[in-house]
Amino acid sequence: MKKLNQMYEGKAKKVFETDDPSVVLVEYKDDATALNGKKKGTIQGKGAINNRMTNHLMKMLEKNGIPTHYVEEINDRETLVKKVSIVPLEVIVRNVAAGSLSKRLGIPEGTPMRRPVIEYCYKCDELDDPMVNEYHIAAMGWADDRTMADIAGYALKINSILTRYFHEVGVDLIDFKLEFGVTTDGKLVLADEISPDTCRFWDSRTHEKLDKDRFRRDMGGVEAAYEEMAARILGD
Ligand code: UDP
């Protein structure tokens, strides 16, 4: 498949048209941002790790009955995916209190919760991705009730599959962010990425952070954390 015009450049990825109107090519960058773009930097090797880890996990999820946008990995940084119209929501799933939930509710990071929590944020950089609920989503027409029921069902199923999967390599899945899209033939699929940029991973034994929080919080050892996750998931 031919790589044609660039359609879009985001904070961590570029998207290109291909000669198939239902397929686009995603190119992962080493660029990192945090605090909604206010903090900028580079994480050497991140693009390749996030690309390969996302593809590995999407293939595994497909085998477990989750429809995804994944088509084919082209090389370390480039992957073909189904073209989708993105549902403009960040779907966050949490197992242990951390990050913005800890701040908002005054619950110390690391506090386990009785059951998983799903949160939705409206994807809008100018507004800093405000949190919304199902009533806002239906009222604004961002997604219909059927789509939201499917998204919530997939999000919880993905959480159980990933939690078990990461547990086997000694990693606790604290929380993560998903995005969904609708393909050109109208099917809801998991899109975007699943990587240390979009998940909180803590070593099960030492509770060491193995994710983007090391960059967000200037903790050092950022590249080493991404490489450690690649070693555990991809075996390299
Ligand atoms: N997350 C993300 N993109 C965002 C915001 C959050 O991938 O724009 C992920 C983040 O990595 C974490 C989870 O979603 O795994 C929950 O993030 P939180 O709401 O705690 O926000 P943060 O404290 O990371 O800003």
Side-chain angles (χ1 to χ4, degrees):
M1 215 167 292
K2 269 211 234 52
K3 183 174 177 180
L4 300 175
N5 295 334
Q6 181 173 312
M7 298 166 62
Y8 169 82
E9 175 160 7
K11 285 172 268 191
K13 301 189 275 301
K14 295 178 183 175
V15 182
F16 296 84
E17 286 177 338
T18 70
D19 47 3
D20 180 339
S22 67
V23 174
V24 298
L25 185 149
V26 179
E27 182 186 314
Y28 285 73
K29 306 188 286 183
D30 285 350
D31 299 356
T33 61
L35 307 170
N36 207 48
K38 287 188 275 291
K39 180 179 167 72
K40 286 193 173 68
T42 302
I43 303 175
Q44 260 339 302
K46 170 172 91 78
I49 288 173
N50 287 3
N51 180 42
R52 295 173 54 232
M53 192 182 299
T54 295
N55 294 342
H56 179 86
L57 294 171
M58 293 241 179
K59 283 189 260 185
M60 189 272 290
L61 289 170
E62 284 273 359
K63 283 192 199 132
N64 285 277
I66 306 291
T68 80
H69 72 164
Y70 177 76
V71 176
E72 187 191 352
E73 187 169 292
I74 300 299
N75 57 44
D76 265 11
R77 284 180 186 276
E78 296 178 321
T79 295
L80 296 174
V81 300
K82 290 176 189 154
K83 183 175 188 172
V84 296
S85 133
I86 285 282
V87 177
L89 298 172
E90 298 201 331
V91 178
I92 293 169
V93 183
R94 304 177 179 275
N95 298 303
V96 175
S100 67
L101 177 138
S102 287
K103 213 175 268 169
R104 198 169 59 243
L105 302 181
I107 296 168
E109 283 210 314
T111 309
M113 300 187 293
R114 285 172 179 73
R115 42 181 271 183
V117 170
I118 302 185
E119 293 171 356
Y120 302 107
C121 295
Y122 174 51
K123 270 171 69 72
C124 177
D125 283 341
E126 298 86 85
L127 299 175
D128 275 356
D129 301 339
M131 199 199 289
V132 295
N133 65 30
E134 281 95 336
Y135 289 89
H136 299 103
I137 296 166
M140 311 307 158
W142 293 323
D144 61 30
D145 291 347
R146 172 77 254 163
T147 304
M148 288 314 295
D150 289 345
I151 285 179
Y154 286 144
L156 292 176
K157 189 169 171 197
I158 291 166
N159 185 43
S160 5
I161 297 167
L162 291 182
T163 296
R164 192 165 351 111
Y165 190 82
F166 285 112
H167 183 74
E168 281 169 20
V169 296
V171 170
D172 291 344
L173 178 60
I174 304 303
D175 57 32
F176 57 98
K177 185 262 301 179
L178 301 173
E179 293 186 27
F180 291 85
V182 179
T183 62
T184 51
D185 41 14
K187 196 174 161 212
L188 180 71
V189 296
L190 176 65
D192 198 47
E193 64 178 288
I194 307 174
S195 72
D197 273 14
T198 63
C199 303
R200 283 196 170 93
F201 296 131
W202 293 2
D203 182 275
S204 306
R205 196 171 48 84
T206 65
H207 306 300
E208 187 191 0
K209 295 186 198 309
L210 298 171
D211 57 57
K212 195 176 165 188
D213 271 347
R214 304 198 76 90
F215 171 80
R216 293 188 189 102
R217 302 178 187 187
D218 296 315
M219 298 170 74
V222 183
E223 277 87 0
Y226 280 70
E227 283 159 18
E228 178 62 27
M229 284 307 301
R232 295 201 197 183
I233 299 302
L234 305 165
D236 58 24

